[in-house]
Amino acid sequence: LNTYLEYDHSVLPNITPLITHILVLIALFPLILLFCKKQNFLIALILSATSFYLFSWHAHEKALLLIFVPFTALVFKDLKFI
């Protein structure tokens, strides 16, 4: 029995923290190219926060602030992101 599981799902698959770590790393891999360019820093920051929120083991709704605050700064910088 896996020690990370609090209960077993009857229909959904059991997702372990290792699987979520692998998914986050896969989602962050394309962002390495964006971090090299300074003009794409806010976009890379928003995408990395989104990947952590979507694929993390345990996420709260407060983690959406890590997406919305840089996105607000990006909207003030360029109105095409509205």
Side-chain angles (χ1 to χ4, degrees):
L1 184 66
N2 197 345
T3 58
Y4 294 111
L5 300 176
E6 295 178 8
Y7 55 91
D8 289 326
H9 296 284
S10 58
V11 178
L12 297 173
N14 292 320
I15 305 296
T16 62
L18 178 65
I19 294 172
T20 60
H21 285 105
I22 292 170
L23 286 173
V24 168
L25 289 175
I26 290 171
L28 289 178
F29 185 72
L31 296 176
I32 294 170
L33 300 173
L34 288 177
F35 275 126
C36 296
K37 301 176 184 176
K38 294 212 181 241
Q39 68 268 18
N40 292 329
F41 178 73
L42 279 176
I43 295 172
L45 187 67
I46 293 166
L47 291 175
S48 66
T50 305
S51 64
F52 275 107
Y53 178 73
L54 290 177
F55 299 116
S56 65
W57 171 253
H58 184 75
H60 286 276
E61 292 82 13
K62 291 182 279 188
L64 288 172
L65 290 174
L66 296 173
I67 300 169
F68 290 134
V69 171
F71 192 72
T72 305
L74 185 65
V75 166
F76 283 123
K77 182 179 175 185
D78 193 357
L79 291 176
K80 73 178 180 182
F81 292 105
I82 290 180

